[in-house]
Amino acid sequence: MADSKPLPALNGNPVAAEALLQEVFGIVMDEAIRKGTCVSQKVCEWKEPEELKQLLDLELRSQGESQEQILERCRTVIRYSVKTGHPRFFNQLFSGLDAHALAGRIITETLNTSQYTYEIAPVFVLMEEEVLKKLRALVGWSSGDGVFCPGGSISNMYAMNLARYRRFPDCKQRGLRALPPLALFTSKECHYSIKKGAAFLGLGTDSVRVVKADERGRMVPADLEQQIIMAEAEGAVPFLVSATAGTTVLGAFDPLEAIADVCQHHGLWLHVDAAWGGSVLLSQTHRHLLDGIQRADSVAWNPHKLLAAGLQCSVLLLRDTSNLLKRCHAAQATYLFQQDKFYDVALDTGDKVVQCGRHVDCLKLWLMWKAQGGQGLEQRVDRTFALARYLVEEMKKREGFELVMEPEFVNVCFWFVPPSLRGQRGSPDYQERLSKVAPVLKERMVKEGSMMIGYQPHGTRGNFFRMVVANPSLTLADMDFLLDELERLGQDL
């Protein structure tokens, strides 16, 4: 090896490393940020999988490549990736690009530390607790606990595990054999992570009792009461209710006060999955949608969604002050959590969680909040509601747009009825034909790269579009474009 050609690595050559990164940052600024957020550019450049594999040249080889090749690969990756910061990306519950949050993400990745001990992450241990304290205060708690999690699904799973441990602490050591048959309750509009969590934790999906939802997608408290009584009659032990604040499709908010009454009566843990709707707590105008959330035992909240903090930024908040997180999850690894350290070992928060290494997710939110202030973030939330309302009112003025329902959040669900189906509602195949419209329009918009909107069937309803108004850079012109573009794409249907 001593006589072979030196590998094209940058280790030990700080000048070359800096030059590379300067070039990469320039590419990112130009391709991902300037072009990736510009309405005159495409949201995506669609390629079929086999063609894309060839364009990317994905094979990993034994020999390294030149810096010029590496830089071109960076450009290619960005070119063929979906630009989720683009104002015409309406596809998911996250979108947009906040500059301050991105700055936090860049610093986080550069420092490359883990959140488990004060020893190696002193700034972020203190910062995480301050951010969690602020979020808990918005929920309505003056004390409590919490942790940043790798996504809302994991936050929900943590809540289930904590509720089970509080009821049956022996399960930590003895496992499932320490447990009777358990039952947890959630609405049919809940996020799918509830059933996944039940399976992952060994409870099984049969332990999830599905509660009815009303016509707007909100849990029916009277049916929750009946489901609890029925589970007990069948020999199961109820232990948790998972309510939703901002359902994935319809954007519904469960009636938390009434659900909390049921939980209090039966002594059940109340978890609120506010991954999508939690940021509404920042708005004095709209936070009434979450009335009663202060009565929950735990709350999941994803600032990477409506606040555009960037993936991923997800928290689990707890009202508990008994150190339940740590008692439930601690393994007391002596190579990390030595008890004779020279500082307060209570600052070593890593044993609260299942993970060992844990990504720093607090800086992007903290930095964005420092820049925007609570008032700025409140205005951001209120603006999304206003834009959603504008879109709804404009739809009502145009032929061919039919609302699934009046939205109470920023999920605007609707059908586009093409010219050939207008006035045909009474025909026997109307619903079947209407259901085929959204997939066709989705393919057309993606292949043109003009915009992206999600669609889905829902219960007995055929496919409809779910427009998500979340990107902080959206304008009235973007709402108008969406309507104009659907009319253009569907004029021949």
Side-chain angles (χ1 to χ4, degrees):
M1 286 294 292
D3 297 327
S4 63
K5 183 179 178 181
L7 295 175
L10 301 177
N11 297 341
N13 188 342
V15 174
E18 182 177 336
L20 171 69
L21 292 173
Q22 291 282 7
E23 292 269 17
V24 171
F25 289 149
I27 292 169
V28 169
M29 181 60 71
D30 188 45
E31 301 292 334
I33 298 176
R34 288 197 191 98
K35 293 181 181 178
T37 60
C38 179
V39 294
S40 65
Q41 300 289 322
K42 290 184 177 182
V43 177
C44 58
E45 188 162 331
W46 175 260
K47 299 293 178 185
E48 295 294 335
E50 288 306 314
E51 182 184 2
L52 185 57
K53 286 180 183 178
Q54 295 301 315
L55 289 167
L56 294 172
D57 186 18
L58 293 170
E59 182 186 351
L60 298 173
R61 304 180 179 89
S62 58
Q63 293 296 315
E65 297 180 339
S66 69
Q67 181 164 315
E68 290 72 23
Q69 288 174 297
I70 295 302
L71 293 173
E72 186 55 37
R73 295 209 180 280
C74 292
R75 292 187 188 92
T76 302
V77 166
I78 295 172
R79 178 179 181 183
Y80 295 112
S81 292
V82 175
K83 311 306 186 295
T84 64
H86 196 289
R88 309 282 163 78
F89 177 80
F90 312 119
N91 209 66
Q92 313 300 142
L93 299 181
F94 67 88
S95 62
L97 186 67
D98 183 280
H100 297 100
L102 179 59
R105 292 154 72 186
I106 292 169
I107 294 169
T108 295
E109 295 305 312
T110 305
L111 291 174
N112 190 39
T113 193
S114 178
Q115 188 78 55
Y116 42 52
T117 64
Y118 184 80
E119 182 178 342
I120 67 161
V123 171
F124 301 128
V125 165
L126 299 178
M127 183 182 292
E128 180 178 59
E129 183 46 48
E130 188 62 31
V131 174
L132 292 169
K133 178 182 176 182
K134 184 67 175 182
L135 298 180
R136 285 195 302 265
L138 286 166
V139 170
W141 301 333
S142 59
S143 60
D145 204 349
V147 67
F148 276 76
C149 297
S153 294
I154 303 301
S155 297
N156 289 338
M157 291 183 198
Y158 267 114
M160 294 165 65
N161 199 41
L162 290 164
R164 179 174 67 175
Y165 175 80
R166 187 181 72 170
R167 186 72 177 268
F168 299 101
D170 284 354
C171 71
K172 179 178 179 179
Q173 182 174 348
R174 298 184 59 227
L176 298 179
R177 68 181 186 274
L179 300 173
L182 299 181
L184 63 101
F185 306 85
T186 192
S187 119
K188 72 186 189 76
E189 298 291 324
C190 76
H191 191 258
Y192 65 82
S193 61
I194 304 301
K195 283 195 172 183
K196 283 197 171 191
F200 186 79
L201 293 170
L203 298 169
T205 55
D206 286 349
S207 69
V208 181
R209 306 296 180 106
V210 179
V211 180
K212 291 178 183 177
D214 65 17
E215 69 282 354
R216 296 194 58 83
R218 300 173 295 204
M219 185 188 290
V220 178
D223 190 59
L224 171 62
E225 178 76 36
Q226 290 301 311
Q227 291 285 346
I228 293 169
I229 293 170
M230 192 182 308
E232 290 176 332
E234 293 171 3
V237 177
F239 76 105
L240 173 138
V241 173
S242 179
T244 310
T247 59
T248 305
V249 177
L250 300 178
F253 289 78
D254 287 343
L256 300 181
E257 286 282 11
I259 293 169
D261 288 342
V262 175
C263 290
Q264 184 174 331
H265 177 70
H266 291 278
L268 304 183
W269 181 291
L270 173 57
H271 173 63
V272 178
D273 176 5
W276 176 216
S279 296
V280 179
L281 289 168
L282 284 152
S283 168
Q284 293 302 312
T285 304
H286 300 289
R287 64 171 289 136
H288 64 88
L289 292 168
L290 295 101
D291 281 352
I293 195 170
Q294 75 281 357
R295 298 176 65 187
D297 294 284
S298 57
V299 173
W301 178 354
N302 287 6
H304 70 238
K305 290 190 166 91
L306 195 57
L307 294 185
L311 287 165
Q312 60 195 7
C313 190
S314 305
V315 298
L316 174 70
L317 305 173
L318 297 174
R319 187 152 51 100
D320 172 79
T321 57
S322 70
N323 217 9
L324 184 68
L325 260 175
K326 191 169 184 179
R327 288 187 288 117
C328 181
H329 299 125
Q332 300 173 335
T334 55
Y335 55 85
L336 271 179
F337 306 114
Q338 304 92 334
Q339 296 303 295
D340 55 357
K341 290 184 178 182
F342 59 91
Y343 58 84
D344 182 1
V345 295
L347 293 166
D348 289 352
T349 56
D351 228 7
K352 289 183 178 183
V353 296
V354 174
Q355 296 165 263
C356 179
R358 187 160 64 92
H359 191 263
V360 173
D361 288 326
C362 58
L363 175 58
K364 52 198 163 196
L365 178 57
W366 180 86
L367 201 60
M368 181 176 72
W369 205 306
K370 281 288 191 181
Q372 298 284 338
Q375 291 181 345
L377 295 178
E378 178 179 11
Q379 291 169 7
R380 178 174 292 184
V381 172
D382 287 345
R383 181 171 172 75
T384 62
F385 276 87
L387 285 169
R389 177 45 48 189
Y390 172 83
L391 178 63
V392 167
E393 295 307 317
E394 289 301 306
M395 281 183 178
K396 293 176 181 178
K397 299 175 185 176
R398 302 197 189 201
E399 188 180 15
F401 291 91
E402 182 182 336
L403 287 169
V404 173
M405 64 178 61
E406 284 283 340
E408 65 176 341
F409 193 20
V410 294
N411 307 41
V412 180
C413 297
F414 66 95
W415 288 280
F416 176 76
V417 183
S420 67
L421 286 178
R422 293 171 193 170
Q424 303 294 314
R425 178 180 286 277
S427 63
D429 62 347
Y430 175 80
Q431 293 297 335
E432 181 183 354
R433 291 168 64 193
L434 181 61
S435 188
K436 294 177 180 178
V437 173
V440 172
L441 294 180
K442 179 63 176 282
E443 180 179 359
R444 290 181 178 183
M445 68 178 73
V446 169
K447 288 186 173 179
E448 288 196 22
S450 60
M451 64 181 182
M452 292 181 71
I453 317 174
Y455 74 86
Q456 64 286 303
H458 184 268
T460 59
R461 302 181 178 103
N463 287 320
F464 57 84
F465 286 113
R466 180 200 63 174
M467 165 64 183
V468 180
V469 184
N471 188 330
S473 68
L474 289 177
T475 65
L476 298 179
D478 295 313
M479 303 297 98
D480 293 335
F481 173 85
L482 179 145
L483 300 176
D484 294 341
E485 183 68 358
L486 284 174
E487 287 178 339
R488 184 184 73 81
L489 292 171
Q491 61 187 344
D492 64 335
L493 295 180

